[in-house]
Amino acid sequence: MSDVVDFRGGDFRGTVIGKAEYRQQAPAPTALDALPPPAAGFTGRDEELDRLRAALGPSGPGGGQAVLVTAVSGLGGIGKTALAVRAAYAAREAGWFPGGVLFVDLHGYDDAPVTADQALESLLRALGVEPEHIPATADERAGLYRSVLAEREAVLIVADNASSPEQVRPLLPGTPRHRVLVTSRDRLAPLGARLVPLDQLTPQAAYELLDRALRIADPEDDRVVEEAEAASRLAELCGYLPLALQIAVALLAEDPGKSVEELADELGTSYGRLAALDDGDRSVRAAFDLSYRRLSAGQARLLTLLAMAPGPEVSEEVAAVLAGTEEALLRDLRALARVHLVERGNHRGCWRMHDLVRVFGADVAAGDAGARQRLLTHYYRWAGAADDRLRWFPGEPEPERFATRAEALAWLDRERAGLVAAVRWEWEERHRHTAVRLALCLCAYLRWRRHFDDMVAVAGAAQQTALSSGDREGEAMASNNLGIALRETGHLQEAVDAHVRDRHLCQELGYRDGEALAWNNLGGTLVLADRVEEAIDAFLRARDLYRDVGYRTGEAQVWNNLGAALAEADRVEEAMDAFVRSCDLHQALGDRHGESSAWNNLGVALTKSGQTDDATEAYGKALAIRREFEDWYGVGQTLENLAIEHRRTHRPAEARAHYLQAADAYTRANAPADAARAAAAALTAPEEPTGTPARAAPPARTTDSARPSPRPPDAPGTGVR
């Protein structure tokens, strides 16, 4: 530009002032290193970082086609932005994006999210395009954006907090040399992106985040290490959610005198845990509310109903019962899953939600007084039908819904956690009778699957509910089941007390068959408590009562149990006679599973009397029936008895093989201690028998280090109600 101004030819009639404007051509400023700082205390995402590095690498995973878009998705507060920023720093340091890194926050869940044309304007400015050269329409901006990128070396575009594919699609470059890394609460599958879903931290990673972030505030702050147990509880109360953990750190940092235990107690006892997880700048409730406000009315209602469901997972069947309809159920569930407010559970057709989302859903619930009642009615109906199938004998009426034991067990397995939790709900007076009966329907199943802790909880809750509502019949039946559960968990005196309580109640109510069952189950516990003579007397009383009321199934069980007590008292001939009577009665009744127990116990008695061939035959009959019923614990017992029999007859190879098969069966039966014992016996058992026989008491847990002897007879046939 010339610095000379030519005024020739001008007509000036007064003072003239000259004004000049100089322009200098220079590139507009760029923002190609605009990443926010890394999150404090970041930890526990090694696997996800590896997946992002693989996707962002120059040649794509395994040297294949490059991945244009990678989408990190997850619940609000799960740490998506922190992970994306950390991955972007790593990619830049690796030299994969010499053209720079662009960062844009799309505010997808705010009241006024960033539109695509606004995002493009921001990115074009960051790329150095002068404002006056940025077109007015979104399509024109997208074209210019791709053209500018085409002239540059590889650039990484980080689009944070997107709420829909439409927000992101215009930001995609025209060449795979550049990459896009998106974070969203939605899965954004329509983008054709490499999906990286993000879950909550592991307990260990959450603990490390608390410690690291707190030490950033004060390197000398060792409260987390000094209160490790309380810190673990605090992490659990935060749901292992990074946002909640960071807020907890801020609350501790601003109050150096507060212990970790104090904060954990505050969160644990706070009526509104989400309200407590607020440091004035960040709030877990606010993070969830951003997602909640975008839900339709039906989706919002379903979320609150799922939040009140019992158990950690909710089946679609139960969700439909809570909602009162199946209309649009799957559509709404999938919509909730897309924004990570629910996710698929461990069982097919089941869904679960994060602990803090459950709290949020319960807090915002409008309430549905009929939902819990519908669920209780539903659970009672089908748990009762499943229980009927498990107890069914040929010739009896077919139970409702479940055609086979396998179907009944599969339903109970899927719904177990919800059923157990529903029993323990605080029910109104008018629903307590049904809640107690639901508990009674579960005990045979819980014992079969060896979920003894659940059995104690269910039976104990039913006993207390029945007692508080004056339901003496229900209390009696629950006391019976509680006694069985306590026996299985080794609380023998408490089990005795429960059976005595059951007996007294049945006597008061005039229930002679219930009294017989109480005597029967009391006898089984007395055997384990080394009170064998008292046990024999209890079994004889039960036998006589069953005969008086004509209940042959109960009598068949008692003969088996009496035989086990007689064997423990070394009255072997009498024991064998009792087992034979039990076998005959069970056969006549068509109770093949009961028959298998009697055959197994008869084998034990035959071995004690030296009748090896007959014992082996009895074990074989028991094993065949137990396999038919998939009674894996019983299979393990009988295989272990056969292993001991092989050792007694100097066949160590066969003995080891049967021990190993027994260990496998015990494992399938959820009995790890028994599995470990059988596996150890396979490795360490001597080839020659030495010592004295182990005691034959049901179900004594003897090691096999002394003289090989049959496993004790089965536990007494316990009638759960």
Side-chain angles (χ1 to χ4, degrees), residues 18-37:
K19 183 178 180 181
E21 182 176 329
Y22 292 86
R23 294 178 180 270
Q24 182 177 1
Q25 297 294 329
T30 62
L32 290 168
D33 192 10
L35 286 172

Side-chain angles (χ1 to χ4, degrees), residues 149-171:
L149 284 177
E151 298 174 356
R152 289 186 174 270
E153 295 183 281
V155 173
L156 173 64
I157 301 100
V158 180
D160 189 35
N161 205 17
S163 61
S164 68
E166 289 69 28
Q167 257 193 318
V168 178
R169 197 170 280 117
L171 312 185

Side-chain angles (χ1 to χ4, degrees), residues 31-36 89 92 101-103 126:
L32 290 168
D33 192 10
L35 286 172
Y89 273 109
R92 188 188 65 181
V101 179
L102 299 173
F103 183 90

